Amino acid sequence: MRKLIISLLLLSTISRLNAQTKDDSSQNQSLLSKSYSIDSALTQLYRFAKNNPLFMETMMPNKFNNLTVKYNLDKGHYIPVQGASKTQGISLFSEAKTTLEKFHLYGAFTYQRTTEDSTRWAHQTRQAGYVPYYFGSQKNNHYERSIYKINAAVSRKMIGNNLPVSLGLDYRIGNHFSNNDPRGDIKDFQLNLNPAVGYNISKTILIGVGYQYGYGREQTKIGYKNSTYTENTVAPIYINYLMTGYSGAQQVQQTNLLNYDNNQDRQFAKIFANYTLNSNSSIALTLKKGKESQLFKRNISDAVGYNKFMTYSIKTSSADLIWYKNIGKNELNVAINYNYDEGWAYDNALAGINYINDIENYGLKLNYTAKGKDGLINNIIFGVQSTDDIKKDGNYLVDIAYRRINFNAGWGLNKQLGKNRSFGADFNARYSLKASSHIIAPLENENIFYNYVMYPDYQFNASNNYSLGLSADYAFPSYKGIQTSVKISGSYTQRVGNYIDLQRTIFNTSGKDRFSSNISLNLYF
């Protein structure tokens, strides 16, 4: 399957290359594709349309092609407890947008190969946020992860210049394993389908409805190469624990119990609206509401069936609004987002709901692009994002909540140097502030999860920090008009102040800072 995907990617890339080199306007096309790599007001429309294919015709260029190879390195101990102190990886990303007669087509392929050092207390895929059922241990694990993603979308107006119809597809497969005891082996896949239909009730107003159906599975197994660590507690760091809710930690060492499946099913309804104020300005809105269900189980046998352990349900409500305005040569984009996830877990052993997790996000982002003389472009970015996270475990009477507000600002420039060469640079700054927090965790219920995960994670989430980032990009024409660029980026994050003193025993306190960097080779055609 993987060889087939890669072969199809290479064939499609070669065919696009051949098609471009036969076109006299290939140089102009590559420059247009390169312009969409900049975090500009116009790029925000493009990203909005990728998530909502109904808007592909109005928010995406007719042609866009790029291929990116990237290496990234992240290192430092200012991370959540279940994060990795060091990650490095390489990724391959290709995407293209084209128009075939009346059809607007988009496709993307991503391959990521990542290694993690010092990952502990979490044998997970990192695909989703916190889940209330998983394995973990004190031992630092070295994880290797391979992820393949395919995204595709098509849209077309069915009746003259009206009744746009779209269909999006997202597919992902992943393989994750650690190569030291206790060894995690996790496989996952996800598939999402997104059909939508719209109608122009007037020349300036489009309304539409959509539906998203998705399903997936994560299969988790734990094993020991050294049999002396199995079914004994002589070496505590090798003990495998089953975490349930946000407090439970039960020792599980028996070989036949070191596995489970997580079957996922999701359905969402969507509403779309687009209002064209004039030829230079428009407003688009998407609303989404639905539910995802995750069933944690273990197969007994094909004939008998399976044991159900927990069902985790998440109700989601979200809204995204984007306003774009062309002001002469300049462009303005304002995006407002809201998302609320209401999660609860039904524990079959307790015959009731033992855990809830509510997460609410809302934010504002502004992009302003100023196009000056002599090919100089300035991009100014400002944003603010608020997050509320509430976790409650009724079985242990735990109640934890915090609110964080992130402020970020950035400035970037891109300068044409002649002969289709250009140089770009970006600087950004972010400050993350804890607005409020509280923790209730009765001492009489304390177990190893509290000391190693709950307490240090609360300290991390209740701390303030700042981040500074810088990137530089140089682009030049290469083979038959293809634009090639090399980009280098780096960022540094540091905690501000000390961690909260909880007056409890803590064994796993996070560090002070973290550094991230990447370098990429990019082709635009």
Side-chain angles (χ1 to χ4, degrees):
M1 180 65 181
R2 296 173 187 171
K3 292 181 179 179
L4 175 61
I5 292 173
I6 295 174
S7 299
L8 290 173
L9 169 69
L10 293 175
L11 287 172
S12 64
T13 302
I14 291 171
S15 64
R16 291 199 302 268
L17 282 168
N18 290 336
Q20 287 292 333
T21 55
K22 294 177 181 178
D23 191 345
D24 294 336
S25 63
S26 61
Q27 184 65 67
N28 291 334
Q29 175 58 46
S30 64
L31 290 172
L32 174 63
S33 296
K34 172 65 174 68
S35 69
Y36 277 83
S37 69
I38 303 169
D39 193 6
S40 63
L42 200 60
T43 305
Q44 298 306 308
L45 287 181
Y46 177 78
R47 293 173 180 170
F48 187 84
K50 286 203 295 185
N51 295 326
N52 304 282
L54 196 66
F55 299 111
M56 284 173 58
E57 180 177 352
T58 57
M59 295 186 182
M60 282 187 173
N62 285 333
K63 290 184 178 180
F64 174 82
N65 305 279
N66 87 294
L67 177 66
T68 297
V69 179
K70 179 186 291 186
Y71 170 79
N72 65 276
L73 172 66
D74 303 287
K75 188 176 182 179
H77 292 274
Y78 185 63
I79 53 173
V81 172
Q82 294 161 325
S85 61
K86 179 182 178 181
T87 65
Q88 55 183 331
I90 188 169
S91 63
L92 171 67
F93 175 71
S94 177
E95 66 175 337
K97 161 65 171 63
T98 190
T99 304
L100 182 62
E101 295 183 351
K102 296 182 179 181
F103 291 92
H104 293 266
L105 306 172
Y106 171 81
F109 172 82
T110 306
Y111 168 70
Q112 298 173 318
R113 173 73 173 180
T114 306
T115 60
E116 298 180 1
D117 288 337
S118 301
T119 297
R120 54 179 171 173
W121 288 107
H123 293 290
Q124 296 177 324
T125 64
R126 304 199 186 282
Q127 162 70 1
Y130 185 81
V131 293
Y133 195 95
Y134 61 96
F135 290 130
S137 66
Q138 297 181 48
K139 178 63 177 176
N140 288 331
N141 284 116
H142 176 87
Y143 254 95
E144 298 184 18
R145 306 180 188 273
S146 296
I147 298 171
Y148 301 82
K149 297 179 183 178
I150 296 177
N151 308 98
V154 58
S155 72
R156 178 188 168 169
K157 290 181 177 177
M158 302 301 293
I159 302 177
N161 200 37
N162 205 341
L163 200 67
V165 175
S166 68
L167 175 64
L169 180 149
D170 302 313
Y171 180 65
R172 163 200 160 108
I173 55 176
N175 184 31
H176 321 255
F177 66 91
S178 57
N179 54 19
N180 60 314
D181 292 340
R183 299 165 185 267
D185 183 6
I186 311 168
K187 294 178 174 58
D188 75 279
F189 78 88
Q190 299 288 335
L191 176 66
N192 291 289
L193 297 172
N194 297 275
V197 60
Y199 184 77
N200 289 95
I201 61 176
S202 71
K203 292 183 178 180
T204 59
I205 300 177
L206 167 72
I207 59 173
V209 294
Y211 172 75
Q212 177 183 335
Y213 172 74
Y215 67 92
R217 179 182 297 122
E218 296 180 2
Q219 296 176 306
T220 302
K221 297 179 181 179
I222 304 298
Y224 290 87
K225 185 176 182 180
N226 189 335
S227 60
T228 61
Y229 299 142
T230 306
E231 299 186 15
N232 75 78
T233 57
V234 175
I237 63 173
Y238 294 101
I239 296 175
N240 180 70
Y241 291 87
L242 172 64
M243 265 66 74
T244 56
Y246 195 68
S247 298
Q250 175 188 357
Q251 294 184 19
V252 178
Q253 293 290 98
Q254 295 88 343
T255 303
N256 64 323
L257 301 181
L258 296 178
N259 67 90
Y260 67 86
D261 291 352
N262 176 5
N263 288 2
Q264 303 168 14
D265 180 275
R266 64 193 70 89
Q267 298 185 65
F268 300 97
K270 296 182 178 180
I271 297 176
F272 306 93
N274 186 65
Y275 176 46
T276 303
L277 286 79
N278 52 56
S279 60
N280 296 317
S281 181
S282 65
I283 299 175
L285 171 69
T286 65
L287 303 174
K288 176 179 174 181
K289 190 174 183 64
K291 179 181 176 181
E292 176 174 327
S293 180
Q294 301 184 17
L295 172 63
F296 297 87
K297 65 184 184 66
R298 181 183 302 117
N299 292 329
I300 302 173
S301 70
D302 294 337
V304 178
Y306 56 84
N307 288 327
K308 294 168 56 175
F309 303 121
M310 182 177 289
T311 301
Y312 186 49
S313 303
I314 308 170
K315 282 186 177 180
T316 296
S317 302
S318 68
D320 291 280
L321 184 144
I322 189 167
W323 172 48
Y324 173 80
K325 183 173 180 59
N326 193 319
I327 310 170
K329 292 184 178 181
N330 304 328
E331 298 162 350
L332 173 67
N333 189 92
V334 178
I336 300 173
N337 66 82
Y338 173 80
N339 190 88
Y340 179 62
D341 290 333
E342 180 185 2
W344 68 94
Y346 180 90
D347 191 316
N348 289 73
L350 300 173
I353 295 174
N354 73 312
Y355 169 76
I356 65 171
N357 183 199
D358 296 342
I359 302 176
E360 186 176 34
N361 292 283
Y362 48 92
L364 168 71
K365 184 177 181 180
L366 181 148
N367 288 72
Y368 183 74
T369 301
K371 301 178 181 179
K373 298 180 180 180
D374 301 323
L376 179 64
I377 300 175
N378 286 276
N379 291 290
I380 300 171
I381 303 169
F382 172 78
V384 58
Q385 189 80 27
S386 175
T387 300
D388 288 85
D389 193 333
I390 299 172
K391 292 181 174 68
K392 295 182 180 181
D393 191 313
N395 198 34
Y396 291 82
L397 304 179
V398 167
D399 184 346
I400 295 176
Y402 58 87
R403 171 179 291 179
R404 302 197 60 83
I405 301 177
N406 294 331
F407 303 91
N408 63 81
W411 169 67
L413 63 86
N414 189 269
K415 171 66 176 176
Q416 295 295 322
L417 302 177
K419 296 183 179 180
N420 294 321
R421 299 171 184 266
S422 66
F423 173 78
D426 294 274
F427 172 78
N428 61 80
R430 178 185 59 84
Y431 189 83
S432 183
L433 170 71
K434 180 209 73 174
S436 63
S437 66
H438 77 256
I439 179 171
I440 299 174
L443 189 60
E444 59 270 21
N445 296 331
E446 188 177 85
N447 59 42
I448 193 170
F449 181 86
Y450 289 51
N451 309 117
Y452 279 92
V453 181
M454 181 194 297
Y455 296 154
D457 256 2
Y458 179 78
Q459 289 181 319
F460 175 83
N461 289 317
S463 66
N464 300 330
N465 65 78
Y466 71 88
S467 178
L468 300 175
L470 182 66
S471 67
D473 174 277
Y474 178 68
F476 55 91
S478 55
Y479 178 73
K480 294 189 178 182
I482 296 173
Q483 277 283 305
T484 301
S485 81
V486 178
K487 184 174 184 179
I488 301 175
S489 303
S491 65
Y492 176 75
T493 302
Q494 180 172 307
R495 187 186 76 241
V496 177
N498 297 319
Y499 287 121
I500 293 175
D501 186 359
L502 297 177
Q503 302 293 316
R504 300 286 179 93
T505 302
I506 302 174
F507 296 125
N508 214 15
T509 301
S510 299
K512 184 179 181 181
D513 57 7
R514 189 167 179 85
F515 175 74
S516 301
S517 63
N518 66 73
I519 182 171
S520 63
L521 174 66
N522 313 276
L523 304 179
Y524 305 94
F525 42 93

